[in-house]
Amino acid sequence: MRALPPGAAREGIRCDQRAEVFRSALEQSEQLFRAAETIGPETQPLLLFYGLSQAGRALAAVSPSLPAAEQGRQPWHLKGHGIEANPQGPLRNISLMPPKKPNPHGLTSFAGVAQALGCEGLPISGARLGDLWASLPETRYVPLEEAPRFPALYLQAQSAYEPPLPSGWSTINLTFCPARVWEESGGLSQEERITEFLAHYPTLGEWRFLPPDGVGRQETGRRDSSSLPRTIYVPHHPNPHVSVETLLGTPYRGDVHYVLPAIEGNQRPLHPLLAWWGVLYGLASVARYEPQSWVKAINIDKANDRTANAIEHLLEMATSAIPELVTRELHRLN
């Protein structure tokens, strides 16, 4: 890709600067990720965050969504992090916020990458690190919190039940749901709990427990620690060549799709790369500005410390997950 830059950094007089930034930023990103694989969690989040930050500059340089020039500026040439964090207190409660004042020098990295990818950034109210953490599929088996509120849900389309469903409807299976969805609590029925929970997953659209004409089974699905205990019916795209997974889910590492939650204040789910961005920025802020707290947080020898285990797992997954996601987006923007 550095030899033949994709997208808006292709050869041409007006693309020379974009191509230069793309090549240099991508090379730096690759070196930072390779270096991150060789060190421990004491400093790993610093290299991983800056590796992702440089990959973001490369994405912005090739994205056609960012024009070559605008009011004397180059929007694709990103300035500053564009995200703030208070690195004190429990990791899960760290607030990740957009800057209070706009950057007078141009787009910040976080906002610029969001625009380059064509998605929402952080809401004005910010987001909790624990919620972004739970939205990453790699954390499902090793969560930061014992019961994450709204994790990434693995999406699979199911074959239609007999009798056949009305035209335009499909059934789906969602796994990795928290136990509270099916456990009796708060005086709510199971349907009410599921409805309240899935309201945080906007890509599911106008889902129902039954299709409009009532055709279909009302039997519950598997009642285990991962599967949503009810068959869900969703409106299907009129184009038969568009799969339910493509319509409702977010592609992630290969051909798998996930239904992702929306942060409170946003209309759509945060792009996985931006969720990684927020999490790594929060961890890097603690490691950099509160090193004594960070060393305590990653003490894996401390008895029954799920936090240290979750951190090690996440950082290890980041070394392969993020380059794969960046590569996918570079091909998409080409």
PDB file of all heavy atoms in Angstrom, residues 76-108:
ATOM      1  N   TRP A  76      -7.644  16.738   6.016  1.00  0.00           N
ATOM      2  CA  TRP A  76      -7.083  15.398   6.162  1.00  0.00           C
ATOM      3  C   TRP A  76      -5.790  15.398   6.970  1.00  0.00           C
ATOM      4  O   TRP A  76      -5.332  14.345   7.408  1.00  0.00           O
ATOM      5  CB  TRP A  76      -6.819  14.798   4.776  1.00  0.00           C
ATOM      6  CG  TRP A  76      -5.903  15.632   3.933  1.00  0.00           C
ATOM      7  CD1 TRP A  76      -6.261  16.615   3.062  1.00  0.00           C
ATOM      8  CD2 TRP A  76      -4.481  15.589   3.921  1.00  0.00           C
ATOM      9  NE1 TRP A  76      -5.151  17.182   2.496  1.00  0.00           N
ATOM     10  CE2 TRP A  76      -4.028  16.570   2.995  1.00  0.00           C
ATOM     11  CE3 TRP A  76      -3.529  14.809   4.576  1.00  0.00           C
ATOM     12  CZ2 TRP A  76      -2.689  16.791   2.732  1.00  0.00           C
ATOM     13  CZ3 TRP A  76      -2.185  15.031   4.301  1.00  0.00           C
ATOM     14  CH2 TRP A  76      -1.771  16.012   3.399  1.00  0.00           C
ATOM     15  N   HIS A  77      -5.180  16.577   7.169  1.00  0.00           N
ATOM     16  CA  HIS A  77      -3.937  16.686   7.943  1.00  0.00           C
ATOM     17  C   HIS A  77      -4.325  16.959   9.391  1.00  0.00           C
ATOM     18  O   HIS A  77      -4.584  18.100   9.777  1.00  0.00           O
ATOM     19  CB  HIS A  77      -3.068  17.803   7.385  1.00  0.00           C
ATOM     20  CG  HIS A  77      -1.634  17.691   7.806  1.00  0.00           C
ATOM     21  ND1 HIS A  77      -0.646  18.511   7.319  1.00  0.00           N
ATOM     22  CD2 HIS A  77      -1.020  16.845   8.654  1.00  0.00           C
ATOM     23  CE1 HIS A  77       0.513  18.187   7.851  1.00  0.00           C
ATOM     24  NE2 HIS A  77       0.300  17.172   8.669  1.00  0.00           N
ATOM     25  N   LEU A  78      -4.394  15.917  10.208  1.00  0.00           N
ATOM     26  CA  LEU A  78      -4.984  15.989  11.542  1.00  0.00           C
ATOM     27  C   LEU A  78      -4.056  16.665  12.538  1.00  0.00           C
ATOM     28  O   LEU A  78      -2.831  16.545  12.474  1.00  0.00           O
ATOM     29  CB  LEU A  78      -5.342  14.582  12.017  1.00  0.00           C
ATOM     30  CG  LEU A  78      -6.198  13.766  11.043  1.00  0.00           C
ATOM     31  CD1 LEU A  78      -6.501  12.397  11.614  1.00  0.00           C
ATOM     32  CD2 LEU A  78      -7.482  14.501  10.702  1.00  0.00           C
ATOM     33  N   LYS A  79      -4.681  17.351  13.520  1.00  0.00           N
ATOM     34  CA  LYS A  79      -3.941  18.116  14.526  1.00  0.00           C
ATOM     35  C   LYS A  79      -4.446  17.760  15.923  1.00  0.00           C
ATOM     36  O   LYS A  79      -5.602  17.984  16.235  1.00  0.00           O
ATOM     37  CB  LYS A  79      -4.128  19.624  14.301  1.00  0.00           C
ATOM     38  CG  LYS A  79      -3.813  20.117  12.887  1.00  0.00           C
ATOM     39  CD  LYS A  79      -2.325  20.138  12.632  1.00  0.00           C
ATOM     40  CE  LYS A  79      -2.027  20.768  11.278  1.00  0.00           C
ATOM     41  NZ  LYS A  79      -0.590  20.816  10.975  1.00  0.00           N
ATOM     42  N   GLY A  80      -3.597  17.216  16.763  1.00  0.00           N
ATOM     43  CA  GLY A  80      -3.970  16.952  18.151  1.00  0.00           C
ATOM     44  C   GLY A  80      -4.778  15.678  18.320  1.00  0.00           C
ATOM     45  O   GLY A  80      -5.294  15.106  17.365  1.00  0.00           O
ATOM     46  N   HIS A  81      -4.900  15.232  19.583  1.00  0.00           N
ATOM     47  CA  HIS A  81      -5.590  13.965  19.869  1.00  0.00           C
ATOM     48  C   HIS A  81      -7.099  14.066  19.645  1.00  0.00           C
ATOM     49  O   HIS A  81      -7.716  13.157  19.106  1.00  0.00           O
ATOM     50  CB  HIS A  81      -5.332  13.523  21.311  1.00  0.00           C
ATOM     51  CG  HIS A  81      -3.912  13.103  21.567  1.00  0.00           C
ATOM     52  ND1 HIS A  81      -3.230  12.273  20.711  1.00  0.00           N
ATOM     53  CD2 HIS A  81      -3.065  13.388  22.587  1.00  0.00           C
ATOM     54  CE1 HIS A  81      -2.004  12.056  21.186  1.00  0.00           C
ATOM     55  NE2 HIS A  81      -1.875  12.735  22.314  1.00  0.00           N
ATOM     56  N   GLY A  82      -7.716  15.161  20.128  1.00  0.00           N
ATOM     57  CA  GLY A  82      -9.162  15.291  19.997  1.00  0.00           C
ATOM     58  C   GLY A  82      -9.948  14.469  20.990  1.00  0.00           C
ATOM     59  O   GLY A  82     -11.135  14.181  20.783  1.00  0.00           O
ATOM     60  N   ILE A  83      -9.312  14.097  22.086  1.00  0.00           N
ATOM     61  CA  ILE A  83      -9.980  13.318  23.125  1.00  0.00           C
ATOM     62  C   ILE A  83      -9.263  13.613  24.437  1.00  0.00           C
ATOM     63  O   ILE A  83      -8.051  13.848  24.462  1.00  0.00           O
ATOM     64  CB  ILE A  83      -9.945  11.808  22.791  1.00  0.00           C
ATOM     65  CG1 ILE A  83     -10.784  11.000  23.779  1.00  0.00           C
ATOM     66  CG2 ILE A  83      -8.531  11.283  22.710  1.00  0.00           C
ATOM     67  CD1 ILE A  83     -10.952   9.541  23.382  1.00  0.00           C
ATOM     68  N   GLU A  84     -10.028  13.665  25.516  1.00  0.00           N
ATOM     69  CA  GLU A  84      -9.475  13.956  26.831  1.00  0.00           C
ATOM     70  C   GLU A  84      -9.923  12.896  27.827  1.00  0.00           C
ATOM     71  O   GLU A  84     -10.978  12.271  27.665  1.00  0.00           O
ATOM     72  CB  GLU A  84      -9.928  15.336  27.309  1.00  0.00           C
ATOM     73  CG  GLU A  84      -9.478  16.489  26.405  1.00  0.00           C
ATOM     74  CD  GLU A  84     -10.033  17.828  26.831  1.00  0.00           C
ATOM     75  OE1 GLU A  84     -10.856  17.859  27.782  1.00  0.00           O
ATOM     76  OE2 GLU A  84      -9.671  18.847  26.219  1.00  0.00           O
ATOM     77  N   ALA A  85      -9.106  12.694  28.867  1.00  0.00           N
ATOM     78  CA  ALA A  85      -9.437  11.709  29.893  1.00  0.00           C
ATOM     79  C   ALA A  85      -8.881  12.163  31.228  1.00  0.00           C
ATOM     80  O   ALA A  85      -7.826  12.803  31.291  1.00  0.00           O
ATOM     81  CB  ALA A  85      -8.870  10.334  29.530  1.00  0.00           C
ATOM     82  N   ASN A  86      -9.599  11.832  32.291  1.00  0.00           N
ATOM     83  CA  ASN A  86      -9.089  12.038  33.645  1.00  0.00           C
ATOM     84  C   ASN A  86      -8.590  10.682  34.139  1.00  0.00           C
ATOM     85  O   ASN A  86      -9.390   9.806  34.469  1.00  0.00           O
ATOM     86  CB  ASN A  86     -10.194  12.561  34.561  1.00  0.00           C
ATOM     87  CG  ASN A  86      -9.695  12.798  35.982  1.00  0.00           C
ATOM     88  OD1 ASN A  86      -8.526  12.551  36.295  1.00  0.00           O
ATOM     89  ND2 ASN A  86     -10.567  13.283  36.849  1.00  0.00           N
ATOM     90  N   PRO A  87      -7.259  10.473  34.185  1.00  0.00           N
ATOM     91  CA  PRO A  87      -6.731   9.130  34.439  1.00  0.00           C
ATOM     92  C   PRO A  87      -6.708   8.727  35.907  1.00  0.00           C
ATOM     93  O   PRO A  87      -5.804   8.019  36.346  1.00  0.00           O
ATOM     94  CB  PRO A  87      -5.302   9.245  33.882  1.00  0.00           C
ATOM     95  CG  PRO A  87      -4.924  10.659  34.129  1.00  0.00           C
ATOM     96  CD  PRO A  87      -6.198  11.461  33.943  1.00  0.00           C
ATOM     97  N   GLN A  88      -7.701   9.128  36.675  1.00  0.00           N
ATOM     98  CA  GLN A  88      -7.748   8.782  38.081  1.00  0.00           C
ATOM     99  C   GLN A  88      -9.011   7.989  38.380  1.00  0.00           C
ATOM    100  O   GLN A  88     -10.009   8.105  37.691  1.00  0.00           O
ATOM    101  CB  GLN A  88      -7.685  10.048  38.946  1.00  0.00           C
ATOM    102  CG  GLN A  88      -6.383  10.820  38.782  1.00  0.00           C
ATOM    103  CD  GLN A  88      -6.351  12.076  39.638  1.00  0.00           C
ATOM    104  OE1 GLN A  88      -7.381  12.580  40.059  1.00  0.00           O
ATOM    105  NE2 GLN A  88      -5.147  12.590  39.899  1.00  0.00           N
ATOM    106  N   GLY A  89      -8.934   7.183  39.440  1.00  0.00           N
ATOM    107  CA  GLY A  89     -10.072   6.364  39.819  1.00  0.00           C
ATOM    108  C   GLY A  89     -10.075   5.031  39.104  1.00  0.00           C
ATOM    109  O   GLY A  89      -9.158   4.711  38.338  1.00  0.00           O
ATOM    110  N   PRO A  90     -11.110   4.203  39.336  1.00  0.00           N
ATOM    111  CA  PRO A  90     -11.201   2.896  38.673  1.00  0.00           C
ATOM    112  C   PRO A  90     -11.194   3.044  37.154  1.00  0.00           C
ATOM    113  O   PRO A  90     -11.807   3.961  36.603  1.00  0.00           O
ATOM    114  CB  PRO A  90     -12.545   2.336  39.165  1.00  0.00           C
ATOM    115  CG  PRO A  90     -12.853   3.093  40.418  1.00  0.00           C
ATOM    116  CD  PRO A  90     -12.251   4.445  40.236  1.00  0.00           C
ATOM    117  N   LEU A  91     -10.517   2.117  36.473  1.00  0.00           N
ATOM    118  CA  LEU A  91     -10.418   2.196  35.016  1.00  0.00           C
ATOM    119  C   LEU A  91     -11.783   2.272  34.346  1.00  0.00           C
ATOM    120  O   LEU A  91     -11.998   3.048  33.418  1.00  0.00           O
ATOM    121  CB  LEU A  91      -9.649   0.992  34.478  1.00  0.00           C
ATOM    122  CG  LEU A  91      -8.150   0.929  34.738  1.00  0.00           C
ATOM    123  CD1 LEU A  91      -7.581  -0.345  34.135  1.00  0.00           C
ATOM    124  CD2 LEU A  91      -7.448   2.138  34.154  1.00  0.00           C
ATOM    125  N   ARG A  92     -12.702   1.452  34.806  1.00  0.00           N
ATOM    126  CA  ARG A  92     -13.998   1.355  34.125  1.00  0.00           C
ATOM    127  C   ARG A  92     -14.766   2.671  34.155  1.00  0.00           C
ATOM    128  O   ARG A  92     -15.620   2.923  33.310  1.00  0.00           O
ATOM    129  CB  ARG A  92     -14.841   0.254  34.758  1.00  0.00           C
ATOM    130  CG  ARG A  92     -15.184   0.490  36.222  1.00  0.00           C
ATOM    131  CD  ARG A  92     -15.970  -0.663  36.804  1.00  0.00           C
ATOM    132  NE  ARG A  92     -16.272  -0.471  38.213  1.00  0.00           N
ATOM    133  CZ  ARG A  92     -15.453  -0.800  39.202  1.00  0.00           C
ATOM    134  NH1 ARG A  92     -14.276  -1.342  38.929  1.00  0.00           N
ATOM    135  NH2 ARG A  92     -15.789  -0.590  40.461  1.00  0.00           N
ATOM    136  N   ASN A  93     -14.466   3.541  35.144  1.00  0.00           N
ATOM    137  CA  ASN A  93     -15.206   4.795  35.300  1.00  0.00           C
ATOM    138  C   ASN A  93     -14.495   6.000  34.694  1.00  0.00           C
ATOM    139  O   ASN A  93     -14.994   7.125  34.812  1.00  0.00           O
ATOM    140  CB  ASN A  93     -15.492   5.055  36.781  1.00  0.00           C
ATOM    141  CG  ASN A  93     -16.468   4.049  37.363  1.00  0.00           C
ATOM    142  OD1 ASN A  93     -17.316   3.521  36.642  1.00  0.00           O
ATOM    143  ND2 ASN A  93     -16.351   3.770  38.644  1.00  0.00           N
ATOM    144  N   ILE A  94     -13.346   5.801  34.067  1.00  0.00           N
ATOM    145  CA  ILE A  94     -12.653   6.916  33.432  1.00  0.00           C
ATOM    146  C   ILE A  94     -13.539   7.502  32.336  1.00  0.00           C
ATOM    147  O   ILE A  94     -14.063   6.783  31.493  1.00  0.00           O
ATOM    148  CB  ILE A  94     -11.304   6.468  32.845  1.00  0.00           C
ATOM    149  CG1 ILE A  94     -10.308   6.166  33.977  1.00  0.00           C
ATOM    150  CG2 ILE A  94     -10.725   7.536  31.915  1.00  0.00           C
ATOM    151  CD1 ILE A  94      -8.975   5.665  33.495  1.00  0.00           C
ATOM    152  N   SER A  95     -13.712   8.824  32.380  1.00  0.00           N
ATOM    153  CA  SER A  95     -14.526   9.498  31.371  1.00  0.00           C
ATOM    154  C   SER A  95     -13.656   9.909  30.195  1.00  0.00           C
ATOM    155  O   SER A  95     -12.592  10.506  30.380  1.00  0.00           O
ATOM    156  CB  SER A  95     -15.208  10.735  31.967  1.00  0.00           C
ATOM    157  OG  SER A  95     -16.156  10.359  32.939  1.00  0.00           O
ATOM    158  N   LEU A  96     -14.115   9.604  29.004  1.00  0.00           N
ATOM    159  CA  LEU A  96     -13.439   9.987  27.772  1.00  0.00           C
ATOM    160  C   LEU A  96     -14.294  11.053  27.108  1.00  0.00           C
ATOM    161  O   LEU A  96     -15.459  10.813  26.779  1.00  0.00           O
ATOM    162  CB  LEU A  96     -13.266   8.776  26.866  1.00  0.00           C
ATOM    163  CG  LEU A  96     -12.460   7.636  27.509  1.00  0.00           C
ATOM    164  CD1 LEU A  96     -12.688   6.333  26.772  1.00  0.00           C
ATOM    165  CD2 LEU A  96     -10.985   7.974  27.543  1.00  0.00           C
ATOM    166  N   MET A  97     -13.722  12.229  26.923  1.00  0.00           N
ATOM    167  CA  MET A  97     -14.498  13.385  26.491  1.00  0.00           C
ATOM    168  C   MET A  97     -13.907  14.003  25.226  1.00  0.00           C
ATOM    169  O   MET A  97     -12.687  13.990  25.035  1.00  0.00           O
ATOM    170  CB  MET A  97     -14.493  14.448  27.601  1.00  0.00           C
ATOM    171  CG  MET A  97     -14.929  13.957  28.968  1.00  0.00           C
ATOM    172  SD  MET A  97     -16.706  13.700  29.070  1.00  0.00           S
ATOM    173  CE  MET A  97     -17.288  15.372  28.904  1.00  0.00           C
ATOM    174  N   PRO A  98     -14.767  14.587  24.388  1.00  0.00           N
ATOM    175  CA  PRO A  98     -14.238  15.418  23.293  1.00  0.00           C
ATOM    176  C   PRO A  98     -13.703  16.716  23.886  1.00  0.00           C
ATOM    177  O   PRO A  98     -14.080  17.100  25.000  1.00  0.00           O
ATOM    178  CB  PRO A  98     -15.461  15.656  22.412  1.00  0.00           C
ATOM    179  CG  PRO A  98     -16.626  15.524  23.340  1.00  0.00           C
ATOM    180  CD  PRO A  98     -16.234  14.507  24.372  1.00  0.00           C
ATOM    181  N   PRO A  99     -12.802  17.423  23.186  1.00  0.00           N
ATOM    182  CA  PRO A  99     -12.254  18.682  23.715  1.00  0.00           C
ATOM    183  C   PRO A  99     -13.359  19.694  23.988  1.00  0.00           C
ATOM    184  O   PRO A  99     -14.365  19.745  23.280  1.00  0.00           O
ATOM    185  CB  PRO A  99     -11.318  19.157  22.606  1.00  0.00           C
ATOM    186  CG  PRO A  99     -11.024  17.947  21.792  1.00  0.00           C
ATOM    187  CD  PRO A  99     -12.242  17.079  21.873  1.00  0.00           C
ATOM    188  N   LYS A 100     -13.158  20.495  25.025  1.00  0.00           N
ATOM    189  CA  LYS A 100     -14.154  21.514  25.370  1.00  0.00           C
ATOM    190  C   LYS A 100     -14.193  22.641  24.342  1.00  0.00           C
ATOM    191  O   LYS A 100     -15.220  23.279  24.140  1.00  0.00           O
ATOM    192  CB  LYS A 100     -13.852  22.081  26.759  1.00  0.00           C
ATOM    193  CG  LYS A 100     -13.950  21.053  27.884  1.00  0.00           C
ATOM    194  CD  LYS A 100     -13.627  21.681  29.225  1.00  0.00           C
ATOM    195  CE  LYS A 100     -13.776  20.675  30.362  1.00  0.00           C
ATOM    196  NZ  LYS A 100     -12.836  19.551  30.241  1.00  0.00           N
ATOM    197  N   LYS A 101     -13.043  22.906  23.703  1.00  0.00           N
ATOM    198  CA  LYS A 101     -12.986  23.961  22.697  1.00  0.00           C
ATOM    199  C   LYS A 101     -12.548  23.372  21.365  1.00  0.00           C
ATOM    200  O   LYS A 101     -11.707  22.474  21.329  1.00  0.00           O
ATOM    201  CB  LYS A 101     -11.997  25.048  23.133  1.00  0.00           C
ATOM    202  CG  LYS A 101     -12.380  25.767  24.414  1.00  0.00           C
ATOM    203  CD  LYS A 101     -11.348  26.831  24.770  1.00  0.00           C
ATOM    204  CE  LYS A 101     -11.721  27.558  26.044  1.00  0.00           C
ATOM    205  NZ  LYS A 101     -10.697  28.588  26.406  1.00  0.00           N
ATOM    206  N   PRO A 102     -13.090  23.872  20.266  1.00  0.00           N
ATOM    207  CA  PRO A 102     -12.658  23.376  18.943  1.00  0.00           C
ATOM    208  C   PRO A 102     -11.197  23.721  18.680  1.00  0.00           C
ATOM    209  O   PRO A 102     -10.690  24.739  19.158  1.00  0.00           O
ATOM    210  CB  PRO A 102     -13.595  24.100  17.969  1.00  0.00           C
ATOM    211  CG  PRO A 102     -14.062  25.315  18.715  1.00  0.00           C
ATOM    212  CD  PRO A 102     -14.116  24.920  20.153  1.00  0.00           C
ATOM    213  N   ASN A 103     -10.538  22.878  17.926  1.00  0.00           N
ATOM    214  CA  ASN A 103      -9.142  23.094  17.578  1.00  0.00           C
ATOM    215  C   ASN A 103      -9.048  24.155  16.481  1.00  0.00           C
ATOM    216  O   ASN A 103      -9.575  23.957  15.384  1.00  0.00           O
ATOM    217  CB  ASN A 103      -8.513  21.785  17.105  1.00  0.00           C
ATOM    218  CG  ASN A 103      -7.012  21.900  16.911  1.00  0.00           C
ATOM    219  OD1 ASN A 103      -6.466  22.984  16.813  1.00  0.00           O
ATOM    220  ND2 ASN A 103      -6.345  20.763  16.859  1.00  0.00           N
ATOM    221  N   PRO A 104      -8.394  25.311  16.742  1.00  0.00           N
ATOM    222  CA  PRO A 104      -8.330  26.371  15.716  1.00  0.00           C
ATOM    223  C   PRO A 104      -7.458  26.000  14.521  1.00  0.00           C
ATOM    224  O   PRO A 104      -7.494  26.672  13.488  1.00  0.00           O
ATOM    225  CB  PRO A 104      -7.733  27.554  16.482  1.00  0.00           C
ATOM    226  CG  PRO A 104      -6.934  26.937  17.585  1.00  0.00           C
ATOM    227  CD  PRO A 104      -7.691  25.695  17.978  1.00  0.00           C
ATOM    228  N   HIS A 105      -6.679  24.934  14.651  1.00  0.00           N
ATOM    229  CA  HIS A 105      -5.735  24.579  13.598  1.00  0.00           C
ATOM    230  C   HIS A 105      -6.279  23.524  12.622  1.00  0.00           C
ATOM    231  O   HIS A 105      -5.611  23.160  11.668  1.00  0.00           O
ATOM    232  CB  HIS A 105      -4.431  24.069  14.215  1.00  0.00           C
ATOM    233  CG  HIS A 105      -3.797  25.047  15.161  1.00  0.00           C
ATOM    234  ND1 HIS A 105      -3.289  26.255  14.760  1.00  0.00           N
ATOM    235  CD2 HIS A 105      -3.635  24.986  16.513  1.00  0.00           C
ATOM    236  CE1 HIS A 105      -2.810  26.911  15.800  1.00  0.00           C
ATOM    237  NE2 HIS A 105      -3.006  26.171  16.875  1.00  0.00           N
ATOM    238  N   GLY A 106      -7.480  23.012  12.876  1.00  0.00           N
ATOM    239  CA  GLY A 106      -8.050  22.019  11.968  1.00  0.00           C
ATOM    240  C   GLY A 106      -8.676  20.860  12.713  1.00  0.00           C
ATOM    241  O   GLY A 106      -8.909  20.918  13.924  1.00  0.00           O
ATOM    242  N   LEU A 107      -8.955  19.801  12.003  1.00  0.00           N
ATOM    243  CA  LEU A 107      -9.582  18.623  12.603  1.00  0.00           C
ATOM    244  C   LEU A 107      -8.616  17.909  13.542  1.00  0.00           C
ATOM    245  O   LEU A 107      -7.438  17.730  13.216  1.00  0.00           O
ATOM    246  CB  LEU A 107     -10.017  17.650  11.513  1.00  0.00           C
ATOM    247  CG  LEU A 107     -11.379  17.867  10.854  1.00  0.00           C
ATOM    248  CD1 LEU A 107     -11.580  16.846   9.731  1.00  0.00           C
ATOM    249  CD2 LEU A 107     -12.506  17.754  11.862  1.00  0.00           C
ATOM    250  N   THR A 108      -9.123  17.480  14.692  1.00  0.00           N
ATOM    251  CA  THR A 108      -8.313  16.662  15.585  1.00  0.00           C
ATOM    252  C   THR A 108      -8.305  15.220  15.088  1.00  0.00           C
ATOM    253  O   THR A 108      -9.112  14.836  14.241  1.00  0.00           O
ATOM    254  CB  THR A 108      -8.876  16.696  17.018  1.00  0.00           C
ATOM    255  OG1 THR A 108     -10.200  16.153  17.007  1.00  0.00           O
ATOM    256  CG2 THR A 108      -8.900  18.125  17.561  1.00  0.00           C
TER     257      THR A 108
END
